[in-house]
Amino acid sequence: MSQLASPDKVVAETVDFKSLIHKSGPFTVDDVRQLDNLLATPHLAEIRQEFIALQRESSSSGKLAPDLAARLGVGLYLLGHPREAERAFSSASGNAVAAFYHGMALSALERHEQAEASFAEAAKLGYDKVEATMRRAGELRAQNKLTEAEAMLRSVVNEGARRAEYSYQMGSIRADRGDTYGAIEYFERAVDMDPRHSRALFRLAVENATRGNDSEAIRLYEQALSRPPIHLGALMNLGLMYEDDQNYRAAAFCFRRVLEVDPNNERARLYLKDIEAASDMYYDEDAARDVAKMEAILARPISDFELSVRSRNCLEAMNVNTLGDLTQVTEDELLNGRNFGETSLREVRDLLGAHGLRVGQNVGMGRMREPLFTPTAMSPQEQAVQVTPLSDLNLSVRARKCMSRLGLTTLGDLIQKTPDELLGSRNFGVTSLNEIRAKLAEINLKLRND
């Protein structure tokens, strides 16, 4: 790895970034690579100031020369300002690199149809055709044209399959089709090919966070943020995970960094206020961390582990779905299940033992996955709403974690809680409460006593 890293280090130390930014002639792929390397060095603040000065020049003069506008657009995009970059690119034309990064900025702004056209234009102007085609496929996928996206991606499979971007795009298509494990396989392959592929790292981080693997998720988010452009989603999620880990200084840094890039980001502003308020509170960090780890372990679905088909089917028939469920039934109850014998019991003992747990240790504490609210005397339509999984609300990372800590799994569970009960959960603040209220209001529901 050191041999691979050394050329970047040399470039970072020897390139005059002012000459690079203001050079005459069109911006090349090699120029972008050098700028990308420089942004990972202590020169970052100086480079930022140089581009800000160039942006002011653009604003005062009304219009930059096309080559200079292209350099400004690329720089602003890599610094995490896609909206300003897109405006700069409007003055750049006839340059393959500018067209490609214009597409990147448009994609970040979720203007996917325009982004796809920009990547097509980049290929016509001489940009790497395979790379441009893979990016076009990504924009088609973002428009939910999955069949068309996959066909376009496979049109460059001979060369594309050797690139991390191909695996990332194929993984994204798999994810959109509901094939989570297939998607993870492709994302991992992308990271194996390019350990700094920020979007693949981001997707893997999200998957790990969803499964309670917080330390791995944090590591992946940090890795995703190790190269430009700044991924605001990764920065927000990392800040929330730092906060959950009581690392308030690091969390505040993340939210401040989001606000530097996007001053109008209200979520980041409110989270930062929550952090500043929470940072003065005392927590037994060791105890809180232990509780959080145990909750994550107990919430792990049995489907995550290798069990025989018979054992898995028997547990499913008994509505035993998580490790926590296994700690809340007795061995006799398991053995009374149809087709569940001593062999299956040994499998379950071994599985729990590997996580420091045992069958029946939490008997009497209530089934973790059992709904806290049972809809009765309701119409079928009303009952369907009440048993809807909370995942359908598309809550933020913080709110989802709080729901998990409280053992809430359905809308019926949630609306039986009062605002005060929710606010009593660790790291659940007014911001999260307002988010919950807004999501419930969209489907004409309220919290108890609201």
Side-chain angles (χ1 to χ4, degrees):
M1 286 295 292
S2 60
Q3 290 180 338
L4 291 175
S6 58
D8 288 354
K9 185 177 179 183
V10 171
V11 168
E13 289 176 348
T14 59
V15 170
D16 178 352
F17 66 84
K18 290 189 179 182
S19 297
L20 177 65
I21 294 170
H22 295 281
K23 66 175 280 190
S24 59
F27 219 35
T28 67
V29 172
D30 191 52
D31 292 334
V32 177
R33 188 178 297 114
Q34 290 182 334
L35 180 59
D36 182 69
N37 290 331
L38 281 166
L39 290 174
T41 73
H43 294 295
L44 173 61
E46 299 168 80
I47 295 171
R48 184 187 299 280
Q49 289 304 314
E50 196 66 25
F51 276 113
I52 288 173
L54 189 58
Q55 190 178 17
R56 286 179 185 147
E57 180 186 333
S58 167
S59 300
S60 60
S61 64
K63 194 171 184 180
L64 288 175
D67 289 342
L68 200 55
R71 286 193 283 280
L72 175 60
V74 171
L76 290 172
Y77 171 75
L78 292 177
L79 287 167
H81 300 280
R83 186 166 285 103
E84 290 83 351
E86 199 279 324
R87 283 198 287 266
F89 283 127
S90 65
S91 298
S93 60
N95 180 285
V97 171
F100 181 81
Y101 281 93
H102 193 182
M104 300 280 271
L106 288 165
S107 180
L109 295 170
E110 298 185 358
R111 289 159 58 181
H112 300 296
E113 191 172 344
Q114 291 172 279
E116 195 267 328
S118 195
F119 289 132
E121 177 67 14
K124 287 180 184 175
L125 291 170
Y127 200 86
D128 181 337
K129 184 178 179 181
V130 175
E131 184 69 23
T133 300
M134 292 189 295
R135 299 290 182 154
R136 286 181 65 194
E139 300 312 309
L140 290 172
R141 178 190 59 78
Q143 297 172 65
N144 205 31
K145 299 176 180 178
L146 299 186
T147 301
E148 193 176 340
E150 184 168 2
M152 181 173 287
L153 200 55
R154 291 192 183 281
S155 73
V156 293
V157 65
N158 289 339
E159 187 175 344
R162 297 193 292 270
R163 305 189 188 191
E165 184 65 22
Y166 183 92
S167 291
Y168 167 75
Q169 294 292 355
M170 193 60 79
S172 297
I173 290 171
R174 290 285 184 275
D176 286 359
R177 285 179 169 154
D179 180 7
T180 302
Y181 292 105
I184 290 172
E185 226 176 286
Y186 273 109
F187 294 143
E188 288 177 341
R189 191 180 305 169
V191 172
D192 285 342
M193 292 179 177
D194 178 6
R196 297 198 308 167
H197 195 291
S198 59
R199 286 163 298 140
L201 289 163
F202 175 79
R203 297 295 290 265
L204 288 173
V206 170
E207 291 296 338
N208 274 276
T210 301
R211 287 164 171 73
N213 305 327
D214 286 3
S215 59
E216 179 64 4
I218 287 173
R219 184 189 71 78
L220 289 163
Y221 279 132
E222 290 172 341
Q223 195 173 337
L225 292 163
S226 68
R227 74 183 292 178
I230 293 167
H231 194 309
L232 292 188
L235 207 51
M236 286 286 288
N237 290 357
L238 181 59
L240 290 169
M241 297 197 78
Y242 279 147
E243 182 182 4
D244 276 352
D245 208 31
Q246 285 86 52
N247 190 349
Y248 295 117
R249 186 186 298 273
F253 172 84
C254 289
F255 297 134
R256 289 191 185 102
R257 186 71 188 88
V258 170
L259 290 169
E260 283 178 22
V261 175
D262 181 10
N264 297 319
N265 193 307
E266 285 304 314
R267 290 175 72 86
R269 192 176 306 283
L270 290 170
Y271 287 153
L272 183 58
K273 285 182 180 178
D274 280 355
I275 293 250
E276 289 168 346
S279 61
D280 294 329
M281 298 173 63
Y282 171 77
Y283 286 102
D284 182 341
E285 293 188 7
D286 291 336
R289 191 173 292 111
D290 289 344
V291 168
K293 285 181 180 177
M294 180 55 66
E295 287 173 344
I297 290 170
L298 293 174
R300 290 282 300 275
I302 290 169
S303 57
D304 280 0
F305 304 98
E306 292 292 333
L307 286 177
S308 66
V309 175
R310 171 179 289 186
S311 297
R312 193 183 303 277
N313 289 341
C314 290
L315 293 173
E316 186 177 341
M318 288 185 276
N319 195 30
V320 174
N321 301 308
T322 67
L323 295 187
D325 292 348
L326 284 172
T327 67
Q328 293 162 5
V329 294
T330 66
E331 292 191 355
D332 286 341
E333 286 176 314
L334 290 176
L335 290 170
N336 285 332
R338 186 177 179 183
N339 294 328
F340 194 98
E342 288 291 342
T343 302
S344 295
L345 182 58
R346 281 195 295 272
E347 275 193 87
V348 167
R349 284 172 179 161
D350 290 343
L351 170 60
L352 290 178
H355 294 84
L357 303 169
R358 68 179 187 279
V359 177
Q361 73 179 58
N362 294 329
V363 169
M365 295 178 63
R367 290 286 291 279
M368 226 177 137
R369 298 285 290 185
E370 185 176 316
L372 304 181
F373 175 78
T374 304
T376 57
M378 291 184 178
S379 69
Q381 292 81 5
E382 289 173 322
Q383 291 187 30
V385 170
Q386 299 292 335
V387 298
T388 298
L390 283 179
S391 57
D392 285 6
L393 287 183
N394 293 318
L395 297 172
S396 65
V397 174
R398 176 186 292 181
R400 284 203 311 271
K401 283 180 173 288
C402 290
M403 298 298 96
S404 177
R405 290 191 193 101
L406 291 168
L408 308 181
T409 61
T410 68
L411 288 178
D413 296 342
L414 176 58
I415 63 175
Q416 291 306 296
K417 291 290 182 182
T418 66
D420 287 343
E421 286 173 328
L422 293 178
L423 289 170
S425 176
R426 182 168 64 87
N427 289 335
F428 192 98
V430 173
T431 303
S432 296
L433 178 61
N434 289 337
E435 178 189 354
I436 293 286
R437 283 171 163 161
K439 293 286 188 181
L440 290 176
E442 290 175 6
I443 51 178
N444 298 316
L445 292 176
K446 291 182 179 180
L447 295 170
R448 184 159 59 89
N449 295 345
D450 244 357

